[in-house]
Amino acid sequence: MEEWRIYGKKADFNAIAQAFGISPVTARVIRNRDVCEAEEIRAYLYGTKEQMHSPFLMKDLEKACDILLEKIREGKKIRIAGDYDCDGINATYILLTALKRLGGQADFVIPDRIHDGYGINEEIVKKAAAEGVDTLLTCDNGISASDQIRLAGRLGMTVIVTDHHDIPEQGIPPAAAVVNPKQQDCPYPFKGLCGAAVAFKLVQVMYEKRGIPAEEAYQYLEFAALATVADVMELKGENRILVREGLARLRRTENIGLNALVEVCKLKKDALVSYHLGFVIGPCLNASGRLETAALSLELLLCKDADRSRSIAENLRQLNETRKDMTVKGTEQAVAVIEQEHMEQDPVLVVYLPGCHESIAGIIAGRLKEKYHRPSIVLTDSLEGVKGSGRSIEAYHMFHGLQQSAGWLDKFGGHPMAAGLSLKKENIAPFRESLIAQAGLTEKDFVKRIWLDLELPFAWVSERLVEELQALEPFGNGNPRPLFGCRQVSVRRGRVIGRNANVLRLSLTDAQGTPMEGV
């Protein structure tokens, strides 16, 4: 069930339109994104990299920089501990290439999703010590790795954490420096950076201290932008500037691997928008970490050989196609289980798919959430019992829900909209019953709300308005594409077109009789 609503946020739209040379319709769209003050609107429309916040404001960032530069001067071995998703891959690339540019002895390790799990573990720490690593530098992980960081310290290693995830209840880990804008006492004004963007900020300061031109650091914006969109960060504030600048650079990128991936995905490089980062390029880079090894995606970004790059890019594209097929089949299986067991009305859907690849459980949970508009958790067999991944709706705080049923779980973590968990197979049924009993949801919580920016008569639509709306890119989380409604629309005629007969062309009129073509 769906409910359509129109935003009712107030402002002097005519005054905004006049001040910024835009239409009142565009002014209303911007206000609906909670961009209100004149300076905010100016940054939203015209912000450039010069308006990004100074990296020196971030707690411990200069301290981390000084430690790393000293380690480079001393010729110490630095190992970057990354993550297997698109954000972690790009963060690792940024730090690795920057440290080498500075003359550092740097290498990397990326955990295996299935065998290692998320973030640095004891084996990674012990292996680094055994191989003579002096400094561990995390990216896109580490903020929850207090035990592993203590172990590294006992083994004589220096640890620097760069991360963007929420600070755990036990506080920050005992590292030599912890760079994460979400720390409560961090004065950095914008808290929504991804891991690769935090890495970029660190590189900015290192380059400045070593006298390397700022433009060289800005070359990493395209990778930070790709990670920001792929990690579904909110495209507000500084992220909006970062992605806009990064997209401009991606459209003329000289990275051989990215060029190969754009080519095999049959994209036009000079027409790249945020959609392509989030739904084409990002998923290809993510696919290696889901089904094989994320090191393959990092190899693509580092590759200098055109033939090898194309081979890797084609492999990643095919892996992503395989992942999509697996997701479709897994979703079909999940829907069949829900319908066979009459679970459609359960306030929280908990579906056990023993044969499902654990790396796509979260994607399938997201598909179920969209189909049924209910919090959804997909469980599957793993090397250590049963693992699960959940996706939620606005009315249900998934992490709190898991806390209430924690007695049935071995481990869990997450936030309001998503979570991961592990448990014993015999606990699946009581865990499901516990979640359902304590959900506290009502029927109105299961109504999907679609928010319209405004009611738009056909006569208001013009080429200038379309161009203005396109200028509001990049679209994505926190800055959705404008959505308009029109009442009493009549269909005068329609016909099916296209080579595959899968396109419907319509001739429409609104209540005022204004005609409009629709596709």
Side-chain angles (χ1 to χ4, degrees), residues 467-492:
E467 289 171 0
E468 273 188 18
L469 295 176
Q470 287 174 339
L472 304 186
E473 279 270 16
F475 297 122
N477 181 29
N479 186 45
R481 288 183 174 277
L483 190 62
F484 306 106
C486 190
R487 301 177 198 268
Q488 298 177 353
V489 173
S490 301
V491 180
R492 295 194 297 182

Short mmCIF file of all heavy atoms in Angstrom, two decimals, residues 467-492:
data_model
loop_
_atom_site.label_atom_id
_atom_site.label_comp_id
_atom_site.label_asym_id
_atom_site.label_seq_id
_atom_site.Cartn_x
_atom_site.Cartn_y
_atom_site.Cartn_z
N GLU A 467 16.36 21.91 -17.59
CA GLU A 467 17.78 22.21 -17.47
C GLU A 467 18.14 22.63 -16.05
O GLU A 467 19.17 22.24 -15.50
CB GLU A 467 18.18 23.30 -18.46
CG GLU A 467 18.17 22.83 -19.91
CD GLU A 467 18.34 23.96 -20.89
OE1 GLU A 467 18.46 25.13 -20.44
OE2 GLU A 467 18.34 23.70 -22.11
N GLU A 468 17.27 23.43 -15.43
CA GLU A 468 17.50 23.85 -14.04
C GLU A 468 17.53 22.64 -13.11
O GLU A 468 18.40 22.54 -12.23
CB GLU A 468 16.38 24.79 -13.58
CG GLU A 468 16.63 26.24 -13.89
CD GLU A 468 15.59 27.15 -13.23
OE1 GLU A 468 14.91 26.69 -12.29
OE2 GLU A 468 15.49 28.30 -13.65
N LEU A 469 16.60 21.73 -13.30
CA LEU A 469 16.53 20.56 -12.43
C LEU A 469 17.74 19.66 -12.62
O LEU A 469 18.23 19.05 -11.66
CB LEU A 469 15.23 19.79 -12.68
CG LEU A 469 13.94 20.54 -12.33
CD1 LEU A 469 12.72 19.73 -12.70
CD2 LEU A 469 13.91 20.90 -10.84
N GLN A 470 18.25 19.57 -13.85
CA GLN A 470 19.45 18.78 -14.10
C GLN A 470 20.65 19.39 -13.37
O GLN A 470 21.57 18.68 -12.97
CB GLN A 470 19.72 18.70 -15.60
CG GLN A 470 18.76 17.78 -16.34
CD GLN A 470 18.95 17.82 -17.85
OE1 GLN A 470 19.51 18.78 -18.39
NE2 GLN A 470 18.49 16.79 -18.54
N ALA A 471 20.63 20.70 -13.17
CA ALA A 471 21.73 21.37 -12.48
C ALA A 471 21.75 21.06 -10.99
O ALA A 471 22.71 21.39 -10.30
CB ALA A 471 21.64 22.88 -12.69
N LEU A 472 20.68 20.41 -10.48
CA LEU A 472 20.64 20.04 -9.08
C LEU A 472 21.38 18.72 -8.82
O LEU A 472 21.46 18.27 -7.67
CB LEU A 472 19.19 19.92 -8.60
CG LEU A 472 18.31 21.17 -8.79
CD1 LEU A 472 16.96 20.96 -8.13
CD2 LEU A 472 18.99 22.42 -8.23
N GLU A 473 21.90 18.09 -9.87
CA GLU A 473 22.78 16.93 -9.69
C GLU A 473 23.96 17.33 -8.81
O GLU A 473 24.32 18.52 -8.77
CB GLU A 473 23.32 16.48 -11.06
CG GLU A 473 22.37 15.61 -11.87
CD GLU A 473 22.56 14.12 -11.58
OE1 GLU A 473 23.21 13.77 -10.55
OE2 GLU A 473 22.05 13.32 -12.36
N PRO A 474 24.59 16.40 -8.11
CA PRO A 474 24.35 14.96 -8.13
C PRO A 474 23.16 14.55 -7.26
O PRO A 474 22.99 15.06 -6.15
CB PRO A 474 25.65 14.38 -7.56
CG PRO A 474 26.17 15.45 -6.66
CD PRO A 474 25.78 16.75 -7.29
N PHE A 475 22.34 13.62 -7.80
CA PHE A 475 21.21 13.09 -7.06
C PHE A 475 21.61 11.80 -6.37
O PHE A 475 22.51 11.09 -6.80
CB PHE A 475 20.03 12.83 -8.00
CG PHE A 475 19.49 14.07 -8.65
CD1 PHE A 475 19.45 14.20 -10.03
CD2 PHE A 475 19.02 15.12 -7.88
CE1 PHE A 475 18.95 15.35 -10.64
CE2 PHE A 475 18.52 16.28 -8.47
CZ PHE A 475 18.48 16.38 -9.86
N GLY A 476 20.92 11.49 -5.30
CA GLY A 476 21.19 10.27 -4.55
C GLY A 476 20.64 10.40 -3.15
O GLY A 476 19.73 11.19 -2.89
N ASN A 477 21.17 9.62 -2.23
CA ASN A 477 20.72 9.65 -0.84
C ASN A 477 20.88 11.06 -0.27
O ASN A 477 21.94 11.66 -0.34
CB ASN A 477 21.55 8.66 -0.02
CG ASN A 477 21.14 8.63 1.44
OD1 ASN A 477 19.98 8.88 1.77
ND2 ASN A 477 22.08 8.31 2.31
N GLY A 478 19.79 11.61 0.28
CA GLY A 478 19.84 12.96 0.84
C GLY A 478 19.54 14.05 -0.16
O GLY A 478 19.26 15.19 0.23
N ASN A 479 19.60 13.73 -1.45
CA ASN A 479 19.25 14.70 -2.49
C ASN A 479 18.57 13.94 -3.63
O ASN A 479 19.13 13.77 -4.72
CB ASN A 479 20.49 15.43 -3.02
CG ASN A 479 20.13 16.55 -4.00
OD1 ASN A 479 19.22 17.32 -3.76
ND2 ASN A 479 20.85 16.60 -5.13
N PRO A 480 17.34 13.42 -3.37
CA PRO A 480 16.67 12.61 -4.38
C PRO A 480 16.28 13.41 -5.61
O PRO A 480 16.14 14.63 -5.55
CB PRO A 480 15.43 12.09 -3.65
CG PRO A 480 15.17 13.13 -2.59
CD PRO A 480 16.52 13.61 -2.17
N ARG A 481 16.09 12.70 -6.71
CA ARG A 481 15.59 13.36 -7.92
C ARG A 481 14.23 14.00 -7.64
O ARG A 481 13.42 13.43 -6.92
CB ARG A 481 15.43 12.34 -9.06
CG ARG A 481 16.73 11.85 -9.62
CD ARG A 481 16.51 10.90 -10.79
NE ARG A 481 17.79 10.56 -11.39
CZ ARG A 481 18.44 11.31 -12.27
NH1 ARG A 481 17.89 12.45 -12.67
NH2 ARG A 481 19.59 10.94 -12.76
N PRO A 482 13.99 15.18 -8.20
CA PRO A 482 12.68 15.82 -7.99
C PRO A 482 11.55 14.91 -8.47
O PRO A 482 11.69 14.22 -9.48
CB PRO A 482 12.77 17.09 -8.83
CG PRO A 482 14.24 17.36 -8.95
CD PRO A 482 14.89 16.02 -9.00
N LEU A 483 10.45 14.92 -7.72
CA LEU A 483 9.31 14.10 -8.06
C LEU A 483 8.06 14.98 -7.98
O LEU A 483 7.80 15.61 -6.96
CB LEU A 483 9.19 12.92 -7.08
CG LEU A 483 8.19 11.83 -7.42
CD1 LEU A 483 8.54 11.15 -8.74
CD2 LEU A 483 8.16 10.79 -6.30
N PHE A 484 7.30 15.01 -9.07
CA PHE A 484 6.12 15.89 -9.15
C PHE A 484 4.86 15.06 -9.38
O PHE A 484 4.92 13.93 -9.88
CB PHE A 484 6.28 16.90 -10.29
CG PHE A 484 7.55 17.71 -10.20
CD1 PHE A 484 8.61 17.48 -11.06
CD2 PHE A 484 7.68 18.70 -9.24
CE1 PHE A 484 9.77 18.22 -10.97
CE2 PHE A 484 8.84 19.45 -9.14
CZ PHE A 484 9.89 19.21 -10.01
N GLY A 485 3.73 15.65 -9.03
CA GLY A 485 2.45 15.01 -9.25
C GLY A 485 1.51 15.90 -10.03
O GLY A 485 1.66 17.13 -10.03
N CYS A 486 0.56 15.28 -10.69
CA CYS A 486 -0.45 16.04 -11.43
C CYS A 486 -1.77 15.27 -11.33
O CYS A 486 -1.81 14.06 -11.58
CB CYS A 486 -0.02 16.21 -12.89
SG CYS A 486 -1.05 17.35 -13.82
N ARG A 487 -2.83 15.97 -10.96
CA ARG A 487 -4.14 15.32 -10.79
C ARG A 487 -4.93 15.31 -12.09
O ARG A 487 -4.68 16.09 -12.99
CB ARG A 487 -4.96 16.04 -9.71
CG ARG A 487 -4.31 16.10 -8.34
CD ARG A 487 -5.18 16.90 -7.39
NE ARG A 487 -4.44 17.34 -6.22
CZ ARG A 487 -4.37 16.67 -5.08
NH1 ARG A 487 -5.00 15.52 -4.97
NH2 ARG A 487 -3.68 17.14 -4.05
N GLN A 488 -5.90 14.42 -12.13
CA GLN A 488 -6.90 14.36 -13.21
C GLN A 488 -6.23 14.33 -14.60
O GLN A 488 -6.60 15.06 -15.51
CB GLN A 488 -7.86 15.55 -13.11
CG GLN A 488 -8.65 15.56 -11.81
CD GLN A 488 -9.55 16.78 -11.68
OE1 GLN A 488 -9.52 17.69 -12.47
NE2 GLN A 488 -10.38 16.77 -10.63
N VAL A 489 -5.22 13.46 -14.72
CA VAL A 489 -4.55 13.28 -16.01
C VAL A 489 -5.34 12.28 -16.84
O VAL A 489 -5.72 11.21 -16.34
CB VAL A 489 -3.10 12.80 -15.80
CG1 VAL A 489 -2.45 12.46 -17.14
CG2 VAL A 489 -2.29 13.86 -15.06
N SER A 490 -5.60 12.65 -18.09
CA SER A 490 -6.34 11.76 -19.00
C SER A 490 -5.40 11.24 -20.08
O SER A 490 -4.51 11.95 -20.55
CB SER A 490 -7.50 12.51 -19.66
OG SER A 490 -8.38 13.02 -18.68
N VAL A 491 -5.61 9.99 -20.46
CA VAL A 491 -4.83 9.38 -21.55
C VAL A 491 -5.66 9.49 -22.82
O VAL A 491 -6.75 8.91 -22.93
CB VAL A 491 -4.51 7.90 -21.26
CG1 VAL A 491 -3.71 7.30 -22.41
CG2 VAL A 491 -3.76 7.76 -19.94
N ARG A 492 -5.16 10.25 -23.80
CA ARG A 492 -5.87 10.40 -25.07
C ARG A 492 -5.61 9.21 -25.98
O ARG A 492 -6.49 8.71 -26.64
CB ARG A 492 -5.45 11.71 -25.76
CG ARG A 492 -5.86 12.96 -24.96
CD ARG A 492 -5.74 14.21 -25.79
NE ARG A 492 -4.35 14.46 -26.21
CZ ARG A 492 -3.96 15.51 -26.93
NH1 ARG A 492 -4.86 16.41 -27.32
NH2 ARG A 492 -2.69 15.68 -27.25
#
